[in-house]
Each structure stands twice: as C-alpha cells, then as structure tokens.
C-alpha cells in the first residue's frame, strides 16, 4: 500500500468490487492543424474562457461552447506564432482552475485528471503551475512530452481497471483522446470521479455506478504534488 508524501506510504485502493478490465479501441486522432478539445468535469465547462500560453509566451483565448468544446484554429496559432508546447487553463469556478498541456497541435482536453497530470509535472520540480502561468514571462523548462506521457500512463493504470464499467476504450489517452461531455464513456467516468487538492496534496475517489450501492474507492490518498507519481507502482496487488 502507498500513502502520503513518502511514495512507499501512498494509499492506493483499486476499486474492489467495482473493478473489471477494459476492452480495446483507439484514440480520437490528431489533425495536425489547430488545437482543440473538451473542457469537462463530467458536466461540460460551458461558455468559459480557455487561455492558451505557448512555449514562447504567446497568450490566446477562446470560449467553450455549451458542450465544453473549444478550438484554437491553425490560422490563429500561425498568425500569433504560438509555439508548442502549449499550457491550457480554464476557470471552472472562481476558486477552481483546471490545467492541461499539449506538446503538439491536435487534441488537448482539460479535466480533473489533465489538471493533476500538469500540476504533478511542475510540482515534482518544486514549481507552481498557477504562478508560472499567470506570469508575464515565458514558462521556462516546460515538461518534456515523455514526462507528461509517463504521468498520464500512471493515471491510466489507476483508472483502466474501471474502463469497462464506464465504457471507456482500453487505450484511451486521458489527455489527447477524443470524447464528448455527454455522460457516456470517459465523461461518465468523470461524472463519478472526485479530485480534491488541499495544501499541495491530492486525493482521487471513484464512486460506484450502481445508485443502490453505497461504494466509493480511494485511488490515491493525500499524495504530494511534489512527489513523482510516475515512479509509483500502481498495479493492483495480487
């Protein structure tokens, strides 16, 4: 078991009776032109500003639609010389901000898991994503794509045992696969997912899909954002 600031003490309880293994499938693909995605917390993040900060410090803003979808078109990115990697932010509430990061154009979703992935990539280097994003300066030494992939893979392993339960394809990329905020598939998983951040520690819980059964699994308890979650063994115990 795993718990807290020390990786060896971090608690991972993998879904008990909720868990079943997923089936195969593909991601939504990358169009190589603009940058688009969905901002969602289960419910779509409607009519909210998505701010993009590029590697060279360029800032661009678009709004989400009623389905939480947004797009920075190729012409806008080119015109403003916006260079990858891109860091994205959306305000869900006045006190809640979600981040994501993309190392190429294509799909870049924003949701509670993309937020934790991005915060951990910065936090493990003793950096604060909110401070650096809000700064007028360029964000120096952005996390490499391999770092983000590694962290994403860890959360994928934590969640994949419930993918069949929620109708998510097994090889779904949590940041870059296409989905809709329609309470199906990955969005249904988000409906049942709770991510709490307090004093630079985060906890992830997943509720059962059966409303007649009171069940909630703790996937991660009080994990410190300054620790590297990619180095944690997240496989279910035999």
């Amino acid at each position: 078991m795993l718990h807290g600031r020390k990786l060896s003490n971090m608690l991972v309880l993998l879904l008990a009776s909720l868990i079943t293994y997923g089936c195969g499938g593909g991601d939504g693909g990358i169009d190589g032109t603009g940058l688009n995605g969905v901002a969602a917390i289960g419910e779509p993040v409607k009519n909210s500003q998505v701010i993009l900060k590029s590697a060279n410090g360029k800032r661009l803003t678009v709004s989400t639609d009623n389905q939480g979808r947004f797009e920075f078109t190729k012409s806008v990115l080119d015109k403003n010389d916006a260079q990858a990697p891109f860091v994205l932010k959306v305000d869900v509430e006045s006190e809640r901000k979600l981040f994501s990061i993309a190392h190429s154009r294509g799909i870049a979703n924003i949701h509670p898991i993309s937020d934790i992935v991005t915060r951990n990539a910065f936090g493990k280097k003793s950096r604060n994503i909110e401070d650096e994003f809000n700064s007028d300066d360029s964000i120096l030494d952005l996390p490499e794509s391999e770092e983000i992939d590694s962290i994403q893979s860890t959360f994928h392993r934590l969640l994949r045992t419930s993918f069949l339960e929620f109708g998510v394809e097994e090889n779904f990329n949590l940041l870059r696969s296409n989905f809709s905020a329609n309470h199906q598939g990955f969005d249904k998983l988000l409906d049942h997912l709770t991510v709490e951040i307090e004093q630079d520690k985060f906890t992830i819980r997943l509720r059962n899909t059966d409303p007649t059964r009171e069940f909630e699994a703790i996937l991660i308890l009080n994990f410190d954002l300054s620790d590297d979650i990619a180095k944690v063994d997240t496989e279910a115990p035999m």
Side-chain angles (χ1 to χ4, degrees):
M1 291 227 174
L2 307 164
H3 173 77
R5 183 172 181 81
K6 298 298 184 182
L7 299 182
S8 60
N9 295 327
M10 173 186 158
L11 177 62
V12 178
L13 303 177
L14 290 176
L15 300 189
S17 61
L18 182 64
I19 294 176
T20 47
Y21 283 91
C23 56
D27 68 20
I30 296 175
D31 61 23
T33 57
L35 187 72
N36 63 86
V38 173
I41 52 174
E43 297 291 336
V45 181
K46 303 178 180 179
N47 305 315
S48 297
Q49 285 192 336
V50 176
I51 302 174
L52 174 152
K53 188 171 183 179
S54 68
N56 55 341
K58 302 289 185 178
R59 285 180 180 271
L60 302 173
T61 302
V62 297
S63 293
T64 60
D65 64 16
N66 285 334
Q67 286 75 47
R69 294 194 173 277
F70 62 90
E71 181 180 11
F72 297 90
T73 64
K74 179 181 186 299
S75 60
V76 168
L77 293 175
D78 289 347
K79 179 180 178 180
N80 290 276
D81 189 31
Q83 299 174 10
F86 308 107
V87 181
L88 305 168
K89 183 187 79 166
V90 66
D91 291 352
V92 179
E93 301 160 350
S94 59
E95 298 298 323
R96 186 180 184 190
K97 309 174 194 315
L98 298 179
F99 290 90
S100 190
I101 188 168
H103 286 80
S104 63
R105 299 183 184 189
I107 296 172
N109 298 310
I110 313 174
H111 47 68
I113 296 300
S114 77
D115 182 63
I116 289 296
V117 169
T118 307
R119 289 179 187 272
N120 187 231
F122 279 80
K124 69 179 185 176
K125 297 179 180 179
S126 300
R127 299 166 62 186
N128 184 291
I129 178 58
E130 295 198 30
D131 291 344
E132 298 198 30
F133 189 91
N134 293 332
S135 169
D136 292 332
D137 300 326
S138 301
I139 302 177
L140 301 177
D141 190 26
L142 279 161
E144 299 290 338
S145 60
E146 292 80 9
E147 295 179 78
I148 297 299
D149 288 343
S150 182
I151 299 171
Q152 187 274 152
S153 294
T154 298
F155 285 105
H156 186 277
R157 290 195 299 273
L158 282 169
L159 293 168
R160 72 181 177 189
T161 49
S162 63
F163 277 7
L164 184 60
E165 179 86 5
F166 294 98
V168 183
E169 295 176 340
E170 186 177 17
N171 61 346
F172 184 91
N173 185 291
L174 300 174
L175 274 64
R176 296 185 65 77
S177 286
N178 187 41
F179 79 100
S180 298
N182 60 0
H183 308 296
Q184 301 295 320
F186 180 66
D187 192 60
K188 184 178 180 181
L189 188 153
L190 291 179
D191 281 333
H192 291 78
L193 190 76
T194 301
V195 179
E196 303 164 354
I197 302 177
E198 186 174 354
Q199 296 181 343
D200 293 327
K201 297 179 185 295
F202 68 90
T203 295
I204 299 179
R205 295 182 171 90
L206 194 60
R207 300 189 306 279
N208 200 309
T209 56
D210 184 350
T212 66
R213 297 170 60 203
E214 293 293 331
F215 183 86
E216 184 179 75
I218 300 176
L219 301 185
I220 299 173
L221 179 64
N222 292 334
F223 188 87
D224 201 305
L225 285 169
S226 65
D227 287 332
D228 187 357
I229 196 169
K231 295 181 178 179
V232 174
D233 179 8
T234 55
E235 295 297 334
M238 300 301 290

